[in-house]
Amino acid sequence: MQTQTEDQSKLPASLAPLLVFIACFFVIVFSINQIIDMAKSTPAAYASKLQNEQNDYASVNTLIQSSSPINYKEFETKLSASFPNQPTLQAKFNIDPQIEKLPATEQNYLIRLKLIEWKVGQLQDQVSQISSTPSESLIFKTWFWVYSLLIWAGSIIGGQILTFHTDKLIHKYWAKPN
């Protein structure tokens, strides 16, 4: 009866180092994953904003690159679907509704010019945003050092557990009896 209780008490004692080793492994994997996520250059919010801007550019580009002349009514109908949340396209592209009274060639010229100005303005905004945003190196981020410390600590603890149990097994099975 006493041997059964000794075996039951040894079981949790022998599982504790294994559980700590598994926990160290998970801490190391989690920390490496976090460092990789920090190193990714494009955050999700910025990527979605960039995708929306590219959709805007695509509709403006198709209108600019079309070979047919663009009049004011065509401009309004084609771009109103691309910019549904804009109250007035005139304000967005700085186009005066009075150009509708001009001849078709002048309307075409002015609308294309305003679309190109808008596109250049958007690109300038992107370049200034990129250049004004301070790019902090991964090495200088605090969480990089915290996760690195977790990796280091998990490696040391896991290594010590493995060394202790390996030495214990070696002495148990291969040690020369005196």
Side-chain angles (χ1 to χ4, degrees), residues 71-72 96-108 110:
N71 61 24
Y72 186 75
D96 187 14
Q98 297 298 324
I99 69 166
E100 191 173 18
K101 297 175 184 175
L102 296 173
T105 55
E106 288 182 30
Q107 286 183 34
N108 181 40
L110 288 172

Side-chain angles (χ1 to χ4, degrees), residues 77-147:
T77 56
K78 285 189 176 178
L79 287 182
S80 63
S82 300
F83 300 96
N85 55 357
Q86 293 296 323
T88 59
L89 290 171
Q90 298 86 8
K92 183 167 187 70
F93 295 102
N94 197 19
I95 295 178
D96 187 14
Q98 297 298 324
I99 69 166
E100 191 173 18
K101 297 175 184 175
L102 296 173
T105 55
E106 288 182 30
Q107 286 183 34
N108 181 40
Y109 174 75
L110 288 172
I111 290 172
R112 287 180 193 273
L113 182 66
K114 291 297 184 175
L115 290 175
I116 291 171
E117 285 176 2
W118 175 82
K119 188 174 173 184
V120 168
Q122 295 296 312
L123 292 173
Q124 285 176 338
D125 289 346
Q126 282 182 356
V127 168
S128 67
Q129 182 182 9
I130 290 170
S131 63
S132 68
T133 306
S135 177
E136 188 177 2
S137 174
L138 184 61
I139 299 294
F140 295 109
K141 293 184 178 180
T142 306
W143 285 108
F144 171 78
W145 291 104
V146 170
Y147 292 128

Side-chain angles (χ1 to χ4, degrees), residues 8 12 61 64 80 83 85 154 158-159 165 176:
Q8 288 175 348
N61 281 340
I64 290 173
S80 63
F83 300 96
N85 55 357
H165 284 290
K176 294 181 183 177

